[in-house]
């Protein structure tokens, strides 16, 4: 029996290592046309790109082979943004042509779209006879958009209308399938018969929570945070009932994402009765920080992050770091090691172009191929939340990426999450010390102009689709939502130490001056600044002090 087993193995190895011969029939894929649903769009307008692919080879790919097409906003050799294309072609027969389509929002000005058919560096590469005809390109020009200047009064009105719309959405949302009568939440197709629900009216059953079918705890928490950030009082019945709904949930079964979304809402109340519950949320988040060494399913690249399972991701980075930052401002206890490991994970997700990936393990996200704007802006503000100064080389590299793709009308590299991108820019610029200018842009006014102009008549904002958090993101941007410290937070402005005269003689009196900032609550007591001759950690001598 053993003899036959060995013979079979040797035969398999021999066949497996047989060199490929030139007379094997192969397919040959080429791009024949790239068309745009609107060849003359305005920037940020959603259009469809269609790529026609033909097989001019001698045979067809097998049915278990997926023919993919990679799309780029520019020459693929120059590391441009990639356009997400989820559609694949299966079974492209000889001399047959099929079309792949994807949606895209162009930037202002000219863009040349490159399509790479069957990229040879892909894991799904299909061996073919000729790679010289696998790249096609086409250009278009998108007209720039101009938005009217929004006055403070107009911004205030937009905020008030947004508040009223969010309040009006409390309750359970659903759509009734006209074909089979099934009630559906948050889907465009019936879960029973598959009939489309697009365009059908929503039914709303009033209630204390916001429930669109995704997760009523998360939806309620983001609504409460938005309203509290906009100045709605904790005593307001809408806020009080929403908080009561959250508190009675089973907190022992929360996932990290739920803790991270709910925690900032509790902090925003500044109500001490929620402090113990908030600390519990912090402890659970800290406990569930991923380690790259726990078991055989762990990956060292995930160490220090958070995710749905064993893989860390940027969505969790956004929510968790914001939650921990809020908790820190409220004086809750967070181990310094948690911040240190989180910072390392955030740094690892930046690539050489300066942009940030959703995660390192999958090298992409459900919404983009490669790096994109909202992840890059999240990486930037998350580093600042960890205490990293703006002068840091990785932050500067990320800002260079943001400058290259600066836009008000889209999320560079992704079709959706446009308003999430703008909110992430606000968080980066508003973390103390605040930035009035961002890359030479009057960032708040420019984006506020766009938001006021794009608000719907009913008070909501819509991205690619009508999605409740979109209005929350827009409103939190306009109100410059960011947790404020309940304690003073004194610091020294970098490079502000001055010595006069700058080159004193031995024994000559000197004047020392330094600029002190307070990025926390007002300082009611007297503080002291000490000056040392040498590094304090190396036992430098105190030479002066000053009260502030």
């Amino acid at each position: 029996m053993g003899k036959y087993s060995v013979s079979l193995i040797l035969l398999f190895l021999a066949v497996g290592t047989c060199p490929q011969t030139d007379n094997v029939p192969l397919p040959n894929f080429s791009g024949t046309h790239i068309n745009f649903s609107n060849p003359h769009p305005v920037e940020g307008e959603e259009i469809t790109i269609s790529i026609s692919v033909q097989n001019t080879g001698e045979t067809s790919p097998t049915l278990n082979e997926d023919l993919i097409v990679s799309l780029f906003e520019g020459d693929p050799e120059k590391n441009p943004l990639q356009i997400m294309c989820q559609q694949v072609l299966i079974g492209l027969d000889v001399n047959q042509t099929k079309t792949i389509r994807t949606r895209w929002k162009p930037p202002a000005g000219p863009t040349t779209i490159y399509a790479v058919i069957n990229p040879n560096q892909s894991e799904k590469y299909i061996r073919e006879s000729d790679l010289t005809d696998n790249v096609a390109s086409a250009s278009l020009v998108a007209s720039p958009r101009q938005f009217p200047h929004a006055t403070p009064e107009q911004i205030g009105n937009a905020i008030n209308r947004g508040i009223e719309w969010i309040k009006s959405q409390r309750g359970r949302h659903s759509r009734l399938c006209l074909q089979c009568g099934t009630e559906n939440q948050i889907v465009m197709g019936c879960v029973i018969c598959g009939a489309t629900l697009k365009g059908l009216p929503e039914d709303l059953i009033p209630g204390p929570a916001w429930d669109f079918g995704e997760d009523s705890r998360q939806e309620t928490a983001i609504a409460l945070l938005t309203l509290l950030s906009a100045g709605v009082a904790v005593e307001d019945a809408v806020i009080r009932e929403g908080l009561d709904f959250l508190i009675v949930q089973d907190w022992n079964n929360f996932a990290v994402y739920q803790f991270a979304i709910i925690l900032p809402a509790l902090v925003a109340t500044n109500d001490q009765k929620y402090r113990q519950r908030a600390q519990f949320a912090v402890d659970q988040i800290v406990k569930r920080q991923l380690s790259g060494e726990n078991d055989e399913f762990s990956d060292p690249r995930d160490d220090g992050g958070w995710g749905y399972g064993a893989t860390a991701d940027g969505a969790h980075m956004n929510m968790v770091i914001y939650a921990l930052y809020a908790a820190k401002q409220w004086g809750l206890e967070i181990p310094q090691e948690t911040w240190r490991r989180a910072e390392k994970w955030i740094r690892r997700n930046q690539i050489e172009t300066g942009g940030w990936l959703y995660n390192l393990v999958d090298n992409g996200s459900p919404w983009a191929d490669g790096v994109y704007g909202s992840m890059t802006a999240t990486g930037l503000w998350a580093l600042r939340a960890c205490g990293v100064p703006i002068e840091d080389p990785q932050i500067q590299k990320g800002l260079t990426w943001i400058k290259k793709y600066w836009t008000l009308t889209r999320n560079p590299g992704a079709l959706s999450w446009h308003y999430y991108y703008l909110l992430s820019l606000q968080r980066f610029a508003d973390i103390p010390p605040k930035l009035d200018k961002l890359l030479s842009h009057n960032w708040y006014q420019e984006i506020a102009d766009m938001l006021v102009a794009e608000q719907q008549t009913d008070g909501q904002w819509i991205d690619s689709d009508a999605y409740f958090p979109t209005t929350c993101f827009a409103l939190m941007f306009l109100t410059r939502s960011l947790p404020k410290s309940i304690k003073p937070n004194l610091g020294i402005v970098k490079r502000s130490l001055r010595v006069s005269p700058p080159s004193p003689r031995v024994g000559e009196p000197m004047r020392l001056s330094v600029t002190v900032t307070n990025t926390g609550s007002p300082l009611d007591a007297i503080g002291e600044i000490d000056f040392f001759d040498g590094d304090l950690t190396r036992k430098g001598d105190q030479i002066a002090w000053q009260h502030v």
Side-chain angles (χ1 to χ4, degrees), residues 34 60 66 141 191 219 223 247 267 272 286 318 345 357 373 388 391 401 413 435 446 457 459 529:
I34 296 179
S60 306
D66 297 339
V141 177
V191 295
E219 292 157 346
I247 293 300
V267 172
Q272 292 300 310
V286 170
N318 176 59
W345 183 81
L357 292 167
V388 178
E391 296 81 6
W401 190 98
L435 303 176
E446 289 182 25
T457 56
I529 300 175

Side-chain angles (χ1 to χ4, degrees), residues 207-283:
W210 286 260
D211 183 2
F212 295 85
E214 188 173 358
D215 187 316
S216 59
R217 297 161 298 186
Q218 295 176 184
E219 292 157 346
T220 298
I222 195 171
L224 292 177
L225 175 61
T226 303
L227 294 175
L228 289 166
S229 299
V232 178
V234 179
E235 296 77 19
D236 189 294
V238 170
I239 301 293
R240 191 171 62 250
E241 292 172 10
L243 289 168
D244 290 344
F245 168 81
L246 292 178
I247 293 300
V248 299
Q249 302 301 306
D250 185 0
W251 284 53
N252 290 320
N253 286 320
F254 279 2
V256 170
Y257 210 80
Q258 282 133 15
F259 281 121
I261 292 181
I262 293 173
L263 177 55
L266 299 184
V267 172
T269 68
N270 199 25
D271 190 331
Q272 292 300 310
K273 73 179 181 181
Y274 299 119
R275 192 173 183 84
Q276 184 177 1
R277 193 66 65 100
Q279 184 63 60
F280 175 78
V282 170
D283 294 342

Side-chain angles (χ1 to χ4, degrees), residues 105-428:
K105 294 180 179 180
T111 304
T112 300
I113 300 298
Y114 283 76
V116 180
I117 294 94
N118 190 32
N120 58 7
Q121 74 275 16
S122 168
E123 293 179 357
K124 294 187 176 182
Y125 170 70
I126 302 171
R127 187 175 174 231
E128 59 173 304
S129 59
D130 185 5
L131 294 176
T132 62
D133 55 356
N134 287 48
V135 178
S137 63
S139 299
L140 58 63
V141 177
S143 303
R145 295 189 64 188
Q146 301 292 331
F147 300 100
H149 176 77
T151 65
E153 181 181 6
Q154 290 172 321
I155 294 173
N157 289 338
I159 291 171
N160 291 334
R161 291 170 57 214
I163 289 172
E164 292 308 311
W165 184 84
I166 289 176
K167 284 186 173 183
S168 73
Q169 299 303 300
R170 276 204 311 163
R172 189 175 190 274
H173 294 250
S174 64
R175 286 187 175 94
L176 186 68
C177 178
L178 299 181
Q179 184 163 308
C180 69
T182 302
E183 182 186 58
N184 298 267
Q185 278 194 285
I186 266 314
V187 290
M188 290 296 103
C190 179
V191 295
I192 299 299
C193 69
T196 181
L197 304 174
K198 193 170 184 179
L200 293 180
E202 281 192 11
D203 295 321
L204 174 60
I205 302 175
W210 286 260
D211 183 2
F212 295 85
E214 188 173 358
D215 187 316
S216 59
R217 297 161 298 186
Q218 295 176 184
E219 292 157 346
T220 298
I222 195 171
L224 292 177
L225 175 61
T226 303
L227 294 175
L228 289 166
S229 299
V232 178
V234 179
E235 296 77 19
D236 189 294
V238 170
I239 301 293
R240 191 171 62 250
E241 292 172 10
L243 289 168
D244 290 344
F245 168 81
L246 292 178
I247 293 300
V248 299
Q249 302 301 306
D250 185 0
W251 284 53
N252 290 320
N253 286 320
F254 279 2
V256 170
Y257 210 80
Q258 282 133 15
F259 281 121
I261 292 181
I262 293 173
L263 177 55
L266 299 184
V267 172
T269 68
N270 199 25
D271 190 331
Q272 292 300 310
K273 73 179 181 181
Y274 299 119
R275 192 173 183 84
Q276 184 177 1
R277 193 66 65 100
Q279 184 63 60
F280 175 78
V282 170
D283 294 342
Q284 293 302 309
I285 290 171
V286 170
K287 179 181 178 181
R288 301 182 198 189
Q289 191 173 26
L290 294 176
S291 170
E293 302 175 353
N294 280 345
D295 51 47
E296 60 179 309
F297 301 106
S298 300
D299 191 307
R301 293 172 294 180
D302 293 317
D303 185 74
W306 289 266
Y308 292 105
T311 302
D313 63 69
H316 277 78
M317 171 174 69
N318 176 59
M319 294 300 178
V320 170
I321 296 300
Y322 189 79
L324 293 179
Y325 181 80
K328 178 182 177 182
Q329 305 312 302
W330 214 25
L332 300 179
E333 295 181 7
I334 307 168
Q336 190 58 38
E337 180 67 5
T338 300
W339 288 108
R340 186 191 67 80
R341 292 178 57 219
E343 179 186 331
K344 291 181 69 174
W345 183 81
I346 296 165
R347 289 185 181 278
R348 282 198 298 271
N349 279 265
Q350 187 184 36
I351 67 170
E352 66 277 0
T353 65
W356 259 266
L357 292 167
Y358 183 75
N359 63 36
L360 283 171
V361 177
D362 297 331
N363 197 36
S365 86
W367 304 282
D369 289 329
V371 299
Y372 55 112
S374 53
M375 272 302 100
T376 300
T378 296
L380 286 168
W381 83 252
L383 284 181
R384 289 202 72 190
C386 290
V388 178
I390 293 175
E391 296 81 6
D392 179 84
Q394 283 192 251
I395 288 184
Q396 289 299 310
K397 195 172 184 179
L399 287 174
T400 299
W401 190 98
I402 294 290
K403 183 177 182 178
K404 181 177 181 180
Y405 299 109
W406 178 264
T407 178
L408 306 179
T409 58
R410 67 175 194 149
N411 181 10
L415 184 69
S416 56
W417 302 110
H418 174 205
Y419 291 74
Y420 166 37
Y421 168 57
L422 301 177
L423 178 62
S424 297
L425 290 177
Q426 175 263 322
R427 289 175 175 175
F428 172 80

